Amino acid sequence: MAEASNYEVTESVTEQTLESGVQHVNNPVLDLPQIVKKYLQKVIGYQQKENSYLFTDGSATVEVKVVSDEIIRIRLAPHSQFLDDFSYAVSNPDQHVAVYAFQEEEDCYTVSTNTVTCVIHKETFLIAFRDRDGKVINQDHSPMHWEENPDFGGYYVYCTKVAEDQEAFYGLGDKPTHLNLRGKRLTNWNSDTYSFAFDQDPLYRSIPFYIGLSSGEAYGIFFDNTFKTYFDFGAEVHDRTSFWSEGGELQYYYIHGPHMMDVVKRYHSITGTHYLPPLWALGYHQCRWSYYPESKVYELAKGFRSRQIPCDAIYLDIDYMDGYRCFTWNKHYFPDPKKMIKTLADDGFKTVVIIDPGIKVDDNYWVFKEGKENKYFCRRGDDYFMEGHVWPGRCQFPDFTNPEARKWWSGLFKGLVDAGVAGVWNDMNEPAVFGRGTFPNDVRHNYDGYRGSHRKAHNVYGMQMVRATYDGLKKLNHGKRPFTITRAAYAGTQRYSSVWTGDNVATWEHLRLGVLQLQRLSVSGMSFCGTDIGGFSGEPDGELFTRWIQFGVFSPFMRAHSAGDTREREPWSFGPEFEAINKKFIELRYKLLPYIYSVFWEQARYGFPILRPVTMLEQELESNIPREEEFSFGDKILVSPVVNPGQTSKRVYLPKGYWYDYWDQCFHLGGEEVEVATPLDRMPIFIKAGAVIPEFPVMQSVDLRLVNTLKLSVYYADSQVNSFIYEDHGDTFAYEQEIYLEKKMVLIGDKNSLTLNQSIDGLFTERYETYQLYFIGLPFNINRIRIDNKLVEWKSEDGIPVVEVSKDFKNLVVE
Ligand code: MIG
């Protein structure tokens, strides 16, 4: 590819003015270029191009594109020259649109689908979105505007919308703050933020997608712009929400609700979902900086198996490498990696290794040599290679936005995969550089042919790295699903990876923060997420660690991790009392795996978030109290992790409906708070009435051969409730060819009976033959149980009726 001469940025200007946000003041002392803010003027004409409508004020053009029945995209071209329509985030910009219509009215134009109408006001160029009943769901406060910067050669682009009086705002990725973002101004710029604090901003990820919720109705805005972006939710002016960027295009998607679940689902429909992870990735994982040498790793493995504490993966942090050179092994610590990994695998452990982006400058190191020869490393504006210090010392960094470099990177994993490595952990990919934080702005990036500076590529650098990592593993993995985890991300990264929240701290505040962050990540499209259980830096005591393990059971990703200068951090490190409780909860994770896996399937297939804040469960309630600690995992289990020391009881809010306490099976009416005992060996867990919850037997690592009967706990309800159970091989891609089972269980209860109907979809065959059904909460005494019209016997276990049933039953009646 030819070197671009119209390279858009040099390092200079305007950081100072930009930090101040919307209200720019030119600073004569700094002699900054003259910046003039321009607004769209009156609309004077329009044009149609298929499902796009172009409106102009004579100089600027706005495109309104119908993406789907519920999604409309808006783009602004200040001089009527649109930028290339390329996005790393959006994998599916053209969906099937059944019907859409265009109308000119006296004072406006309208572009309508079956569900949403976009209104463009002629006089003001203000844009609004209405629902089918004509109700305005979202509208501009000011016309879209921009600032031309002669020095920068681009624009800063702005959109300012009306914030309704009671409107609340959710989403935006990993922001470590309260769920409702009202009153906050936030920035997206991926940053390595060791030991971050409550309210610190920005952190590691940029997800410029938020959900507005007003009068019980939700909508989403996805501002697909990879430059440094800003969001102001009524912070500067109470009744305005603004978002703006230091470059690129003003391009955003309006995503219709009215339910928050639908907004998230539709956001996933354009940016993709996480593929179904291998089942082992949902087990318990043990990490530390670092486990080495080999003997230490074996000792760790033995520590789990000898105590019968389940664990599926052991992580190797940077010390496994030779001088921190990626794709090498320190042969002194790990003389025969293949043999070690095989030994661990035979014992049920997968090995996951870390890979950073920094490649050591060393002419005797093949990775550096190949990267250099092929010009895969990033260069500065003045054509010198970008160099920076990270763990290996002086390093250069692949330009992961170059498709050739990604392909090369994908291939580099061959050695690791051949050695048996099952998953890869990408760290430091904000990108992080010691001393100066990250790359300078003038670093040039290929950006898949749409060249740009680091300003444009910074926020996607980590995403493209883990994309290349994922592609490599997928190709090399012999048909097994890969597992990847990344620290930095941009919207859409869920297609390639899971994420963790980075370097948190071993404090109660951070445990609480984790509860907020994972809920937020989940509604922001990054459902496969977790925190460093126990806290990365600092020292947890046994109580904090145990409470964190409990939260971990209901974190989509469950991994304990700690910094190297801290005391040991295994489930047994805090003494026998804590060990027993940690074991019990890790076992609970394994029992719930078939439920957890089914929830992951719903996310992969339909785009539903895995964790759902209470606001999402009851968004229609006027009185919606901002509960932040309760959330549901899927739609059947509601939890409220204990996040305070010494807490022996907790008031838990249960959403409307009926719930069973998981521990004592007591029945509760929702819509109010209940007081639950929280001794150290309990956390509040509630099961929705009518749910059918599948359980595996406890196993030391995921192995479907050990499931010889599936336990199903059937929680009575006097209504109809559907549950889904998803099953497949657990680690292959055969599910893409329908080699899976999606079982629908319909429970219908009344005063004197309970009926359960099963229907099965898909081509997979389970290994087990029977279900073990447990009937919880029946309000009547059983006279008989019929399965497919045959009477069957039942027994009682601790007062709970249990019956064994063929896995193929269709109809079961208890009366
Ligand atoms: O500069 O690889 O967030 O999980 O253990 C620190 C060492 C680099 C930061 C990661 C952390 C990891 C650590 N890394």
Side-chain angles (χ1 to χ4, degrees):
M1 194 158 309
E3 292 295 299
S5 55
N6 61 341
Y7 185 66
E8 97 235 41
V9 184
T10 52
E11 222 177 66
S12 60
V13 273
T14 59
E15 225 79 79
Q16 296 87 337
T17 48
L18 275 168
E19 295 304 339
S20 71
V22 188
Q23 310 296 331
H24 282 193
V25 186
N26 288 319
N27 186 334
V29 181
L30 293 175
D31 195 24
L32 292 169
Q34 190 58 34
I35 292 174
V36 187
K37 215 177 230 179
K38 290 192 180 149
Y39 288 78
L40 284 171
Q41 303 294 308
K42 184 174 164 171
V43 186
I44 60 162
Y46 70 89
Q47 207 191 328
Q48 179 184 1
K49 270 192 193 162
E50 289 154 18
N51 54 343
S52 282
Y53 297 86
L54 302 163
F55 301 90
T56 177
D57 65 359
S59 118
T61 299
V62 170
E63 181 196 57
V64 175
K65 177 176 166 176
V66 178
V67 176
S68 76
D69 248 0
E70 303 90 2
I71 304 175
I72 290 187
R73 185 180 75 174
I74 305 293
R75 292 169 81 194
L76 166 72
H79 287 302
S80 295
Q81 289 282 317
F82 285 100
L83 300 182
D84 296 301
D85 196 0
F86 170 77
S87 167
Y88 281 122
V90 175
S91 56
N92 187 12
D94 283 294
Q95 303 187 8
H96 176 71
V97 195
V99 190
Y100 53 92
F102 177 76
Q103 251 189 322
E104 177 165 2
E105 291 169 23
E106 204 184 309
D107 57 347
C108 65
Y109 301 98
T110 61
V111 177
S112 311
T113 70
N114 272 329
T115 43
V116 38
T117 296
C118 175
V119 185
I120 302 94
H121 291 279
K122 290 181 179 169
E123 199 50 43
T124 55
F125 224 132
L126 292 175
I127 293 179
F129 299 92
R130 294 197 299 232
D131 68 8
R132 249 215 304 245
D133 303 329
K135 184 173 170 197
V136 175
I137 303 294
N138 174 266
Q139 57 181 319
D140 284 349
H141 175 278
S142 331
M144 292 190 278
H145 45 293
W146 63 93
E147 292 166 0
E148 282 175 58
N149 186 319
D151 208 47
F152 168 85
Y155 307 98
Y156 307 133
V157 289
Y158 299 84
C159 188
T160 303
K161 295 185 165 287
V162 173
E164 300 295 339
D165 245 8
Q166 297 301 322
E167 191 166 357
F169 299 94
Y170 300 95
L172 230 61
D174 62 350
K175 305 300 182 196
T177 188
H178 295 292
L179 291 182
N180 182 357
L181 299 171
R182 180 87 191 213
K184 300 203 182 288
R185 170 177 290 191
L186 299 145
T187 305
N188 289 318
W189 185 253
N190 295 354
S191 307
D192 176 7
T193 42
Y194 170 80
S195 293
F196 58 88
F198 187 87
D199 256 342
Q200 187 172 326
D201 182 56
L203 300 189
Y204 305 90
R205 277 163 285 280
S206 297
I207 320 275
F209 162 61
Y210 72 86
I211 300 170
L213 176 63
S214 179
S215 320
E217 291 185 298
Y219 65 91
I221 297 287
F222 172 39
F223 179 24
D224 187 8
N225 182 307
T226 62
F227 285 76
K228 188 182 275 183
T229 51
Y230 300 84
F231 287 79
D232 183 303
F233 299 103
E236 190 165 296
V237 186
H238 181 74
D239 65 352
R240 284 175 224 173
T241 290
S242 299
F243 48 91
W244 65 99
S245 171
E246 291 195 358
E249 193 169 77
L250 180 49
Q251 166 179 150
Y252 71 89
Y253 294 79
Y254 166 81
I255 305 172
H256 198 66
H259 204 283
M260 278 170 87
M261 287 285 278
D262 292 325
V263 175
V264 177
K265 187 176 104 184
R266 287 166 190 156
Y267 167 75
H268 275 297
S269 80
I270 49 175
T271 60
T273 60
H274 194 286
Y275 59 96
L276 200 60
L279 201 42
W280 66 264
L282 308 185
Y284 175 73
H285 293 190
Q286 186 67 41
C287 186
R288 178 157 171 86
W289 179 15
S290 300
Y291 289 122
Y292 72 91
E294 182 186 271
S295 57
K296 178 87 196 168
V297 176
Y298 282 138
E299 193 191 311
L300 177 72
K302 202 168 137 227
F304 279 98
R305 298 302 180 240
S306 66
R307 294 174 174 87
Q308 293 282 287
I309 298 175
C311 179
D312 258 280
I314 291 176
Y315 286 58
L316 301 180
D317 206 326
I318 48 178
D319 301 289
Y320 79 91
M321 297 182 252
D322 172 19
Y324 305 120
R325 287 172 188 81
C326 290
F327 309 104
T328 68
W329 290 87
N330 179 317
K331 287 290 166 120
H332 179 65
Y333 296 148
F334 297 98
D336 190 347
K338 193 166 183 167
K339 188 169 147 227
M340 178 188 79
I341 293 171
K342 167 86 167 54
T343 309
L344 291 172
D346 290 345
D347 207 7
F349 293 100
K350 300 284 189 292
T351 301
V352 179
V353 301
I354 197 168
I355 287 286
D356 288 350
I359 298 299
K360 189 178 178 71
V361 174
D362 170 359
D363 281 316
N364 297 315
Y365 167 39
W366 54 285
V367 178
F368 179 71
K369 273 200 306 206
E370 283 183 25
K372 185 174 162 189
E373 274 160 27
N374 294 295
K375 301 198 166 70
Y376 292 146
F377 295 122
C378 292
R379 267 182 283 182
R380 300 283 304 259
D382 52 12
D383 213 32
Y384 281 99
F385 282 104
M386 152 69 205
E387 291 200 345
H389 281 259
V390 265
W391 290 105
R394 220 176 108 208
C395 282
Q396 292 189 10
F397 301 82
D399 179 10
F400 294 107
T401 69
N402 173 356
E404 294 297 317
R406 282 202 301 273
K407 207 166 145 205
W408 165 67
W409 184 261
S410 297
L412 295 175
F413 289 92
K414 184 160 190 321
L416 292 175
V417 173
D418 284 349
V421 165
V424 172
W425 169 25
N426 282 164
D427 187 22
M428 303 287 281
N429 53 355
E430 291 70 31
V433 178
F434 292 163
R436 68 166 154 230
T438 190
F439 296 179
N441 275 335
D442 70 308
V443 166
R444 329 155 95 182
H445 292 274
N446 176 290
Y447 213 92
D448 278 67
Y450 303 99
R451 295 180 155 271
S453 73
H454 197 62
R455 285 171 182 269
K456 180 161 91 170
H458 177 83
N459 284 338
V460 296
Y461 187 84
M463 174 196 197
Q464 295 311 306
M465 176 187 184
V466 78
R467 173 188 181 180
T469 302
Y470 163 80
D471 285 344
L473 294 189
K474 189 170 177 184
K475 212 168 290 159
L476 296 161
N477 240 13
H478 314 294
K480 298 277 192 215
R481 288 175 223 164
F483 169 73
T484 46
I485 177 160
T486 179
R487 196 169 69 175
Y490 179 70
T493 306
Q494 69 270 11
R495 298 198 298 276
Y496 316 113
S497 186
S498 61
V499 297
W500 91 105
T501 57
D503 297 340
N504 60 0
V505 188
T507 60
W508 290 92
E509 187 191 35
H510 263 268
L511 171 54
R512 180 156 201 285
L513 246 179
V515 172
L516 299 175
Q517 284 185 292
L518 297 196
Q519 290 182 70
R520 187 194 305 294
L521 280 165
S522 219
V523 303
S524 306
M526 301 276 339
S527 263
F528 195 4
C529 55
T531 62
D532 283 351
I533 292 174
F536 179 70
S537 61
E539 301 284 356
D541 58 11
E543 184 189 5
L544 176 58
F545 186 81
T546 291
R547 290 301 193 190
W548 216 316
I549 284 276
Q550 293 172 350
F551 167 48
V553 175
F554 298 96
S555 298
F557 177 61
M558 186 183 190
R559 181 185 77 164
H561 183 38
S562 51
D565 53 358
T566 58
R567 284 200 296 274
E568 306 222 302
R569 207 74 83 67
E570 287 81 49
W572 54 85
S573 304
F574 302 90
E577 187 205 343
F578 296 108
E579 177 184 329
I581 303 173
N582 296 339
K583 175 170 151 82
K584 166 174 145 180
F585 276 88
I586 294 172
E587 287 176 350
L588 175 60
R589 173 82 177 192
Y590 279 76
K591 287 190 206 165
L592 290 175
L593 273 179
Y595 173 78
I596 293 173
Y597 196 49
S598 303
V599 176
F600 268 81
W601 165 249
E602 272 187 25
Q603 132 68 34
R605 173 85 188 248
Y606 308 107
F608 289 127
I610 289 176
L611 302 189
R612 304 167 192 178
V614 166
T615 331
M616 188 174 236
L617 303 175
E618 315 202 295
Q619 69 174 50
E620 69 290 350
L621 291 191
E622 275 306 332
S623 59
N624 206 322
I625 3 154
R627 303 294 301 205
E628 298 197 312
E629 289 172 18
E630 291 88 0
F631 60 87
S632 76
F633 188 109
D635 66 343
K636 300 292 193 295
I637 301 185
L638 184 110
V639 298
S640 183
V642 175
V643 295
N644 292 300
Q647 192 166 356
T648 52
S649 75
K650 183 169 187 182
R651 294 192 72 79
V652 175
Y653 175 78
L654 297 176
K656 277 195 179 331
Y658 296 94
W659 301 87
Y660 289 88
D661 185 312
Y662 177 79
W663 303 107
D664 59 16
Q665 280 131 12
C666 276
F667 190 68
H668 295 274
L669 172 64
E672 56 187 33
E673 284 188 340
V674 294
E675 172 114 12
V676 274
T678 54
L680 193 59
D681 67 345
R682 278 205 187 181
M683 76 178 280
I685 304 173
F686 291 86
I687 312 290
K688 193 173 197 161
V692 176
I693 306 285
E695 275 189 21
F696 278 168
V698 170
M699 37 180 112
Q700 298 310 304
S701 64
V702 167
D703 184 349
L704 294 180
R705 289 171 305 184
L706 301 175
V707 183
N708 39 40
T709 172
L710 192 68
K711 176 176 173 185
L712 300 178
S713 296
V714 181
Y715 292 85
Y716 170 87
D718 66 349
S719 55
Q720 179 179 326
V721 178
N722 299 342
S723 299
F724 292 89
I725 300 170
Y726 174 83
E727 297 175 88
D728 66 10
H729 287 142
D731 61 357
T732 71
F733 282 96
Y735 73 95
E736 291 177 348
Q737 266 73 52
E738 276 189 65
I739 314 292
Y740 64 78
L741 292 177
E742 198 176 8
K743 299 170 171 173
K744 184 178 179 188
M745 305 266 180
V746 181
L747 178 147
I748 306 157
D750 61 33
K751 275 204 199 84
N752 309 306
S753 73
L754 178 153
T755 304
L756 192 61
N757 295 321
Q758 176 180 234
S759 56
I760 303 178
D761 225 18
L763 305 171
F764 178 68
T765 314
E766 327 85 318
R767 290 170 165 271
Y768 59 86
E769 290 300 327
T770 56
Y771 295 142
Q772 204 86 50
L773 289 169
Y774 288 69
F775 297 100
I776 294 157
L778 292 181
F780 52 85
N781 287 321
I782 303 179
N783 279 319
R784 56 177 188 170
I785 299 183
R786 280 177 296 149
I787 294 170
D788 294 327
N789 271 322
K790 279 196 214 90
L791 288 172
V792 294
E793 297 291 312
W794 70 94
K795 54 182 183 168
S796 168
E797 250 179 51
D798 304 324
I800 298 174
V802 186
V803 62
E804 196 165 295
V805 188
S806 153
K807 66 180 165 63
D808 300 314
F809 87 94
K810 294 204 165 56
N811 166 267
L812 175 150
V813 183
V814 186
E815 51 200 349

